[in-house]
Amino acid sequence: MSTERAGPDRLRPLAVASAAYALPVFFIVLPLATFLVYSFFSVDHGEMKFTLTLVNYIRFFADPVFLPVFWRTVALCFAVALITVLIGYPVAYFLTQLRGRQRYLVLMLLLVPLLMSYVIKIYSIRAILGGNGFLNRALIGLGIIDKPLTFFVFNLNAVLLTLTLLLIPYAVLPLFLALERVPAALKQASADLGASAAQTFWRVTFPLSLPGVASALSFVFVLAIGDFLTPQMVGGQSGFTFGRIIYSQFGTAYNWPFGAALSVILAVVVIVAMSLGSRFDGRKRRG
Amino acid sequence: MMENRRALWPLGLITALVFVLLYGPILVPIVSSLFLVQHGLVDWSQPTFSAYVALATNEDILSALTTTLVVGLSAVVLSVAMGTVLALYYHSGTGRARAVLQFVIFLPFLMPPIITGLSLLIFFREIEFERSLITVVIGHTVFVLALVYRTILTRLQSLSPSLIEASYDLGASGWQTFIRILLPNLSSSIIGGAILAFALSFDETMITLLLTGTQSTLPVRLWAMMRLGFAPDINALVAVILAFTTLLCLAAVRFLIPKDLLKVGAEV
């Protein structure tokens, strides 16, 4: 029995290892590598040229169209991240003050909308903000305005507002985890030494929660900048973002290499944002 | 922390407001699905199920729903199988190669979906693989893999190694140990991970949009419909989908979160 098992037993680790590596390499590493190489190809008169060139990257930096949209998108997504953190912080703090079942229930209620259809939420928010939407009708009904506002529909404000509404729970989670990690002993010590509740918060709790703020900011920023559905659906003509430009390169513009180059730039931004977020987080957590 | 109590009610107020913001947009289509909408105006006088009847006979939507279920179930089966193998492999040793492998698995989950979708799109074109439901399933599997892997690995790491050693000591083979010891202990995390993976796949739009051939899944179909404008049966569909995803969410939570979270709650 034991001699019979020795053969397969020696082979098994090798089989498991190759099974473990083969598929991720084939379906993750190879596609990403192809995509990176593609960004150095070009299109000339509707025809792909398979020689390596920097022309796509040069076009991004030289053409006056792309950089402004790029920076505007970065600023927009940072604004979304900042607003969600400002709103999420009190919610996360409130959560840490709740006990047992109460805390569990409120946390659950925050998480449920995350699994609800993203497209549907965009659609509903548009229905509320739209010219003929609930918000405008309610404001007219209350006599606050007499003509529907167009401030919130088919422009960058609409994108900002919709993304903020969609991403608040993603900000609350890291903030909650960071606030929960603040040792109760430190807060008690602060109170024992005569600090008021506000002093304890600003001198002890808040500084110790900053890593959570950093990871919440980077988390929301990354989710916002990768999204092209929201700007496509609520952005309209003036709500053009970087994600939409990338998407259009694979559709109407049909310039895949340029689209790939723009996505590589997007990936670089995402990597920078994530490493900024996690560096801050990692250093503090180990301490 | 007694002195914090007084400061708590404005925080509670903000939290309540956030819940209005989170749930308000979800409630609007559900409520309007129960009333007649004509020329963009809602007739509030009497509730009706006509939108649901229209939905049940909409061939387009029913076929999109079937596609979504097929894609979701395939992606779940594949990602659970791969995720289990990968988690067991990662857990069985150490080394740089394993760390790199883990990083690779996480990439599609961490990167924006548009990048995962585009890289697969370009890759499939290069190896001359037609866009079809198979490419969509691969895209979804790659996307949800990290989540399934993570849930299984977390449970695996919390298992006592003596359990496995005891099994070997009692003469069980590796396969027997896997079937009799590991699998039963991992089952709730596998089921929980599978439900979450299904929920993610059910909602996945960006990758699907890029990888799909002629057949579209429900979110992609919805996306196309919503860009054109509003129709009453969309509201009904929205209500049905929301009810379904809420159930999925609650089921996933039942399998994954309660133990750990209630423990945290009890410690405080």
Side-chain angles (χ1 to χ4, degrees), chain A residues 28 32 35 222-223 225-227 263-275, chain B residues 103-117 119 143 146 204 206-207:
Chain A
I28 301 172
L32 284 173
F35 157 81
V222 165
L223 287 168
I225 203 159
D227 187 11
S263 314
V264 170
I265 292 164
L266 174 69
V268 170
V269 173
V270 165
I271 291 165
V272 169
M274 285 198 298
S275 49
Chain B
F103 176 72
V104 166
I105 299 166
F106 280 126
L107 271 179
F109 201 71
L110 295 175
M111 282 282 139
I114 188 170
I115 289 178
T116 306
S119 62
F143 177 61
E204 214 307 309
M206 290 192 248
I207 296 174

Side-chain angles (χ1 to χ4, degrees), chain A residues 5 9 12-13 16-17 19-21 23-32 34-35 38 41 48 50 87-101 103-128 132 134 137 165-166 168-169 172 176 180 184 187-188 191 195-198 222-223 225-230 232-233 243 246-247 250 254 256 259-260 263-264 266-267 270-271 274, chain B residues 1 3-5 8-9 11-15 18-19 21-26 28-29 32 39-42 44 82 85-86 89 96-99 101 104-108 110-116 118-127 131 138 142 145 168 171-175 196 199-200 203 205-206 209-210 219-220 222-223 226-231 234-235 237-239 241-242 245-246 248-250 252-254 257-258 261-262 264-266 268:
Chain A
R5 255 181 51 200
D9 258 8
R12 193 178 297 131
V16 171
Y21 284 97
L23 289 170
V25 165
F26 192 73
F27 288 118
I28 301 172
V29 176
L30 279 184
L32 284 173
T34 320
F35 157 81
Y38 241 71
F41 291 155
M48 287 273 299
F50 294 96
I87 299 174
Y89 200 96
V91 176
Y93 191 84
F94 181 72
L95 261 172
T96 61
Q97 300 297 308
L98 295 175
R99 301 276 172 273
R101 284 214 163 270
R103 167 195 284 206
Y104 174 62
L105 190 75
V106 177
L107 193 58
M108 271 315 306
L109 286 172
L110 270 169
L111 292 181
V112 167
L114 286 188
L115 277 190
M116 288 182 167
S117 174
Y118 196 74
V119 177
I120 288 175
K121 280 185 287 188
I122 306 176
Y123 160 79
S124 314
I125 294 169
R126 189 176 75 172
I128 292 173
N132 214 2
F134 270 66
R137 285 214 220 124
L165 286 177
L166 289 170
I168 287 174
V172 175
F176 169 68
E180 219 203 22
K187 286 186 266 186
Q188 272 155 12
S196 69
V222 165
L223 287 168
I225 203 159
D227 187 11
F228 65 92
L229 297 176
T230 306
Q232 195 92 2
M233 202 128 110
I246 296 178
Y247 183 61
F250 289 83
Y254 209 70
W256 286 25
S263 314
V264 170
L266 174 69
V270 165
I271 291 165
M274 285 198 298
Chain B
M1 276 182 281
E3 55 275 270
N4 280 342
R5 292 281 144 200
L8 217 54
W9 74 265
L11 295 179
L13 204 68
I14 295 173
T15 307
V18 166
F19 279 113
L21 292 178
L22 286 180
Y23 284 89
I26 297 166
V28 169
S32 24
H39 311 298
L41 288 171
V42 185
W44 296 108
M82 276 175 73
V85 171
L86 289 167
Y89 176 73
R96 192 169 270 270
R98 274 169 223 262
L101 180 68
V104 166
I105 299 166
F106 280 126
L107 271 179
L110 295 175
M111 282 282 139
I114 188 170
I115 289 178
T116 306
L118 289 182
S119 62
L120 282 168
L121 174 68
I122 293 173
F123 178 65
F124 287 134
R125 183 161 109 159
E126 275 308 295
I127 61 170
R131 276 194 262 179
I138 293 172
V142 162
L145 179 63
Y168 280 119
S173 68
W175 183 247
L196 278 182
L200 274 189
D203 187 28
T205 320
M206 290 192 248
L209 206 59
L210 294 164
V220 171
L222 267 174
W223 196 62
M226 286 168 183
R227 289 178 72 192
L228 296 175
F230 301 84
I234 292 186
N235 286 328
L237 181 62
V238 164
I241 292 178
L242 290 179
T245 44
T246 308
L248 275 183
C249 181
L250 293 176
V253 165
R254 219 186 94 51
I257 305 176
L261 212 82
L262 286 178
V264 171
V268 175

Side-chain angles (χ1 to χ4, degrees), chain A residues 127-130 132-140 145 149 152 161:
Chain A
I128 292 173
L129 297 179
N132 214 2
F134 270 66
L135 188 67
N136 268 323
R137 285 214 220 124
L139 288 176
I140 293 171
I145 52 173
L149 294 174
F152 293 128
L161 218 61

Side-chain angles (χ1 to χ4, degrees), chain A residues 31-284:
Chain A
L32 284 173
T34 320
F35 157 81
L36 192 65
V37 173
Y38 241 71
S39 74
F40 293 102
F41 291 155
S42 60
V43 168
D44 191 22
H45 295 92
E47 221 174 296
M48 287 273 299
K49 294 269 181 283
F50 294 96
T51 41
L52 299 184
T53 163
L54 280 172
V55 73
N56 297 314
Y57 293 96
I58 294 169
R59 183 175 168 204
F60 171 74
F61 288 105
D63 196 308
V65 172
F66 301 107
L67 270 178
V69 176
F70 173 77
W71 288 120
R72 209 168 59 205
T73 309
V74 169
L76 174 90
C77 295
F78 188 70
V80 169
L82 212 58
I83 298 171
T84 55
V85 167
L86 283 175
I87 299 174
Y89 200 96
V91 176
Y93 191 84
F94 181 72
L95 261 172
T96 61
Q97 300 297 308
L98 295 175
R99 301 276 172 273
R101 284 214 163 270
Q102 263 186 334
R103 167 195 284 206
Y104 174 62
L105 190 75
V106 177
L107 193 58
M108 271 315 306
L109 286 172
L110 270 169
L111 292 181
V112 167
L114 286 188
L115 277 190
M116 288 182 167
S117 174
Y118 196 74
V119 177
I120 288 175
K121 280 185 287 188
I122 306 176
Y123 160 79
S124 314
I125 294 169
R126 189 176 75 172
I128 292 173
L129 297 179
N132 214 2
F134 270 66
L135 188 67
N136 268 323
R137 285 214 220 124
L139 288 176
I140 293 171
L142 291 169
I144 297 170
I145 52 173
D146 49 80
K147 210 167 56 179
L149 294 174
T150 53
F151 185 67
F152 293 128
V153 76
F154 299 132
N155 53 33
L156 280 182
N157 296 330
V159 180
L160 176 85
L161 218 61
T162 311
L163 282 174
T164 303
L165 286 177
L166 289 170
L167 299 177
I168 287 174
Y170 291 101
V172 175
L173 276 184
L175 289 169
F176 169 68
L177 292 176
L179 279 167
E180 219 203 22
R181 251 186 263 128
V182 176
L186 284 182
K187 286 186 266 186
Q188 272 155 12
S190 164
D192 286 348
L193 291 168
S196 69
Q199 280 172 323
T200 300
F201 175 77
W202 286 113
R203 299 276 187 93
V204 179
T205 312
F206 181 69
L208 286 173
S209 71
L210 283 177
V213 172
S215 56
L217 281 175
S218 78
F219 200 25
V220 173
F221 177 83
V222 165
L223 287 168
I225 203 159
D227 187 11
F228 65 92
L229 297 176
T230 306
Q232 195 92 2
M233 202 128 110
V234 303
Q237 285 296 321
S238 63
F240 226 71
T241 61
F242 198 57
R244 281 178 77 179
I245 292 186
I246 296 178
Y247 183 61
S248 71
Q249 295 305 317
F250 289 83
T252 45
Y254 209 70
N255 189 339
W256 286 25
F258 188 54
L262 294 179
S263 314
V264 170
I265 292 164
L266 174 69
V268 170
V269 173
V270 165
I271 291 165
V272 169
M274 285 198 298
S275 49
L276 280 178
S278 70
R279 167 177 292 189
F280 197 18
D281 202 20
R283 197 180 54 200
K284 293 276 179 172

Side-chain angles (χ1 to χ4, degrees), chain B residues 15-253:
Chain B
T15 307
L17 197 71
V18 166
F19 279 113
V20 172
L21 292 178
L22 286 180
Y23 284 89
I26 297 166
L27 286 176
V28 169
I30 295 178
V31 172
S32 24
S33 75
L34 292 169
F35 297 91
L36 265 185
V37 184
Q38 267 169 339
H39 311 298
L41 288 171
V42 185
D43 174 15
W44 296 108
S45 56
Q46 71 186 101
T48 162
F49 284 103
S50 63
Y52 291 87
V53 176
L55 180 70
T57 52
N58 189 327
E59 297 279 335
D60 235 24
I61 287 174
L62 290 179
S63 83
L65 179 67
T66 317
T67 309
T68 311
L69 295 178
V70 169
V71 168
L73 291 175
S74 317
V76 164
V77 170
L78 289 173
S79 63
V80 164
M82 276 175 73
T84 311
V85 171
L86 289 167
L88 286 171
Y89 176 73
Y90 184 81
H91 190 61
S92 67
T94 51
R96 192 169 270 270
R98 274 169 223 262
V100 173
L101 180 68
Q102 175 165 279
F103 176 72
V104 166
I105 299 166
F106 280 126
L107 271 179
F109 201 71
L110 295 175
M111 282 282 139
I114 188 170
I115 289 178
T116 306
L118 289 182
S119 62
L120 282 168
L121 174 68
I122 293 173
F123 178 65
F124 287 134
R125 183 161 109 159
E126 275 308 295
I127 61 170
E128 289 175 13
F129 196 85
E130 279 286 310
R131 276 194 262 179
S132 65
L133 275 195
I134 297 174
T135 55
V136 175
V137 168
I138 293 172
H140 281 212
T141 306
V142 162
F143 177 61
V144 299
L145 179 63
L147 188 84
V148 179
Y149 165 82
R150 190 69 234 175
T151 37
I152 297 174
L153 185 68
T154 307
R155 183 64 55 88
L156 200 56
Q157 283 168 338
S158 73
L159 283 183
S160 160
S162 56
L163 215 61
I164 296 155
E165 281 159 24
S167 165
Y168 280 119
D169 284 348
L170 292 169
S173 68
W175 183 247
Q176 281 172 320
T177 305
F178 174 70
I179 296 287
R180 299 276 186 90
I181 307 295
L182 282 175
L183 215 51
N185 274 297
L186 294 177
S187 63
S188 70
S189 70
I190 289 177
I191 296 171
I195 297 171
L196 278 182
F198 185 79
L200 274 189
S201 161
F202 193 80
D203 187 28
E204 214 307 309
T205 320
M206 290 192 248
I207 296 174
T208 319
L209 206 59
L210 294 164
L211 293 181
T212 193
T214 46
Q215 286 166 291
S216 54
T217 61
L218 211 51
V220 171
R221 189 87 203 89
L222 267 174
W223 196 62
M225 285 163 78
M226 286 168 183
R227 289 178 72 192
L228 296 175
F230 301 84
D233 48 351
I234 292 186
N235 286 328
L237 181 62
V238 164
V240 172
I241 292 178
L242 290 179
F244 181 66
T245 44
T246 308
L247 284 178
L248 275 183
C249 181
L250 293 176
V253 165

